[in-house]
Amino acid sequence: MFGDWPNLVLAFGAMLLAGAAVKLMDDALDIDYDICRGRRTLAARLGRACLPYSLVVFGIAMMMNRDAAFAVFLSSYAVGMFTRIHESLPSRVPAYVEIVIAVLLLVVLVGWRHALWGLAVMSMIDWLDDVMDRRKDLETGQANVAIRFGLVETLVAILIAFCLALYAEVFWTILALIALVILSIVFDTTTTKILETEEEEWDTWS
């Protein structure tokens, strides 16, 4: 057990950095939506520099632990398209085709166990986020699993995903939850409310 600590630390770092890269790119895609909600995220502040920064962060994650970084990144991509499964993507194919490709790549590159872990953990996190944001998403018409399938059904699915993640990788699942808390704190503290910022600037000049 104690001999595995260096590998666990590297895996944790890979999860943390890969999760940060995914979050930055996701926020970059949602900049307009977040601004409409009165929120200026870190991605909005970085602007066009968001993509190269995300790539650098993900590259470091890959160097720390390739399997953990790939599992987080590709699983996030696959799970993120679940609510838009029939939508036509820029690649000119439906979302479900790219989901299948992403899952196959996961299995080939990291093995079925790590692929199962990544899909289960990312599903659990994504659906939990949908549960927490269901009221706001209902008002704005955003895709949301909890709205589409129901709150109880989504909570049951989250529990199943959590059990599958534990079955695949117990310690990685624990590390992923810790990384989730850290990333949530970091991105929440780096997100500002636009109205509050404008009021502070006005007070400064008046």
Side-chain angles (χ1 to χ4, degrees), residues 70-80 102 106 114-120 122-123:
F70 254 131
V72 169
F73 188 84
L74 284 178
S75 296
S76 298
Y77 183 76
V79 172
L106 266 176
H114 288 161
L116 175 62
W117 172 83
L119 291 168
M122 291 304 110
S123 296

Side-chain angles (χ1 to χ4, degrees), residues 90-150:
S91 59
R92 305 282 181 88
V93 298
Y96 65 82
V97 174
E98 291 201 9
I99 292 174
V100 171
I101 293 174
V103 172
L104 290 176
L105 280 174
L106 266 176
V107 174
V108 171
L109 293 173
V110 304
W112 72 268
R113 184 175 290 275
H114 288 161
L116 175 62
W117 172 83
L119 291 168
V121 165
M122 291 304 110
S123 296
M124 177 184 67
I125 293 173
D126 189 66
W127 298 339
L128 184 60
D129 186 61
D130 279 356
V131 168
M132 297 175 66
D133 291 343
R134 65 188 187 281
R135 292 182 180 176
K136 293 180 181 178
D137 289 343
L138 183 61
E139 294 175 356
T140 57
Q142 293 293 307
N144 187 303
V145 172
I147 296 172
R148 183 174 180 181
F149 297 103

Side-chain angles (χ1 to χ4, degrees), residues 10 21 84 105 152 162 166-167 183 200 204:
L10 289 175
R84 303 175 295 161
L105 280 174
V152 175
F162 180 62
L166 288 175
Y167 166 75
L183 289 174
E200 290 175 359
T204 302

Side-chain angles (χ1 to χ4, degrees), residues 30-45:
D30 293 337
I31 285 178
D32 292 337
Y33 171 66
D34 288 329
I35 289 177
C36 289
R37 293 174 57 188
R39 300 167 69 245
R40 182 179 287 117
T41 61
L42 180 59
R45 295 182 187 178

